[in-house]
């Protein structure tokens, strides 16, 4: 596996691991598939299809057997209902968001899908299906199956019972077989009751988690709760202000304000007694009678500065007006005979026309 994964991208390496886990857990949806390329495995696991949805259904049903009954009531064409059920289950397992439909349907990025499948398979690998529990149970532990019943019936001691079974009559079973059947029924009833309790437990929304995950989730929830309480206590005073109500401060904020005021008053009393008391008991200082001279000088200087600023503004205004007049005289802005002329030319032409007009009237 290490040689195959060398040189592969992260998505392809995850595809190999997820596909290998599915085969190791005997997923029926990959039984009979002999994929060798990582790209083919990634296409199978990350492309929206009914086959991919069947793989997800199998993994979720392995983790929570109660989901098997729910999936059996949903038609294969109702993929939206299946996706909603798997999304709800994944959110309960803290593996996806409550509305993360894109991830379940196969439209999210391949990396997200593969990480989600890897986390599900890690949990599924810790679960034991009922068939595995039956195979792992010791033969001497009282496990009774139909195969054991057939072996018991086919033994030489019960050959007559087997003949009666093949040729039924009204004769009752022997006492040994009746006791065997009663034990079988009792064991099956106990197994069904245990399965019903487990289904009820899973229907309540509690998936199987190991102790480490439960402890970690509990610690995280407790830390979050403490942080929220601290924020609420800190913002209580601000919330009372924002409400704009005529009610005064809350008891908590009032206690804080009184404590701050007491500390400030204590600090001021200490500073006053050590540093300010001697100065406060002195007579007020005598002002210098020459202060009016300095005030007059200050006013005169202020007026002088204002006059200088006014002269500066006047100089700037004169310069600006000079530039404007010069621009008017030198720029060609006035139309005459189809072309632009300067103001001086226009005035000269007007003067010539007036001179000609006067000469004509005088003659």
């Amino acid at each position: 596996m290490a040689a195959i994964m060398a040189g592969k991208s992260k998505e392809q390496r995850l595809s190999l691991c997820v596909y290998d886990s599915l085969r190791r857990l005997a997923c029926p949806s990959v039984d009979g598939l002999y994929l060798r390329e990582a790209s083919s495995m990634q296409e199978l696991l990350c492309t929206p299809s009914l086959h991919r949805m069947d793989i997800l259904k199998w993994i979720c049903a392995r983790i929570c057997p109660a989901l098997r009954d729910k999936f059996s009531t949903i038609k294969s064409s109702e993929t939206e209902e299946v996706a909603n059920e798997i999304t709800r289950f994944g959110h309960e397992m803290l593996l996806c968001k409550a509305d993360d439909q894109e991830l379940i349907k196969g439209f999210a990025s391949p990396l997200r899908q593969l990480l989600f499948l890897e986390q599900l398979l890690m949990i599924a690998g810790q679960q034991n299906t009922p068939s595995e529990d039956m195979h792992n149970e010791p033969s001497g532990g009282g496990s009774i199956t139909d195969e054991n019943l057939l072996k018991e019936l086919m033994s030489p001691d019960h050959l007559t019972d087997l003949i009666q079974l093949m040729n039924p009559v009204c004769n009752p079973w022997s006492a040994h077989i009746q006791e065997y059947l009663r034990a079988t029924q009792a064991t099956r009833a106990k197994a069904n009751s245990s399965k019903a309790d487990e289904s009820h437990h899973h229907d309540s929304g509690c998936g199987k988690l190991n102790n480490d995950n439960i402890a970690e989730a509990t610690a995280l929830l407790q830390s979050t709760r403490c942080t929220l309480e601290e924020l609420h206590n800190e913002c209580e005073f601000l919330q009372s202000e924002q409400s704009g109500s005529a009610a005064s401060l809350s008891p908590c904020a009032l206690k804080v304000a009184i404590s701050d005021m007491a500390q400030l008053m204590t600090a001021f009393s200490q500073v006053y007694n050590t540093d300010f008391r001697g100065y406060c008991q002195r007579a007020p200082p005598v002002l210098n009678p020459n202060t009016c001279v300095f005030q007059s000088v200050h006013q005169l200087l202020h007026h002088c500065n204002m006059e200088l600023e006014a002269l500066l503004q006047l100089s700037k205004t004169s310069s600006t007006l000079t530039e404007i007049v010069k621009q008017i005289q030198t720029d060609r802005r006035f139309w005459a005979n189809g072309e632009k002329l300067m103001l001086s030319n226009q005035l000269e032409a007007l003067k010539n026309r007036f001179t000609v007009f006067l000469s004509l009237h005088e003659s």
Side-chain angles (χ1 to χ4, degrees), residues 150-170:
L150 289 175
K151 289 180 180 179
E152 185 72 15
L153 288 173
M154 295 180 68
S155 63
D157 297 335
H158 302 290
L159 185 58
T160 57
D161 295 328
L162 179 60
I163 294 173
Q164 289 181 6
L165 180 64
M166 301 300 296
N167 301 288
V169 291
C170 293

Side-chain angles (χ1 to χ4, degrees), residues 5 13 143 189 191 193 227 236 273 284 290 319 352:
M5 295 176 64
R13 291 196 298 270
S143 175
S193 176
T227 304
E236 187 176 359
N273 291 328
N290 297 326
S319 300
N352 293 336

Side-chain angles (χ1 to χ4, degrees), residues 47-95:
T47 303
S49 65
L50 292 177
H51 200 170
R52 177 184 175 278
M53 193 64 72
D54 289 339
I55 294 175
L56 276 175
K57 288 166 59 178
W58 179 83
I59 298 174
C60 295
R62 181 182 175 88
I63 298 174
C64 179
L67 289 176
R68 187 179 294 107
D69 298 332
K70 291 186 178 181
F71 289 147
S72 63
T73 60
I74 302 175
K75 298 180 181 179
S76 59
S77 58
E78 297 176 348
T79 56
E80 192 71 25
E81 294 295 331
V82 176
N84 291 336
E85 195 65 33
I86 296 177
T87 304
R88 182 191 63 80
F89 177 71
H91 179 61
E92 291 177 355
M93 300 294 291
L94 305 178
L95 298 180

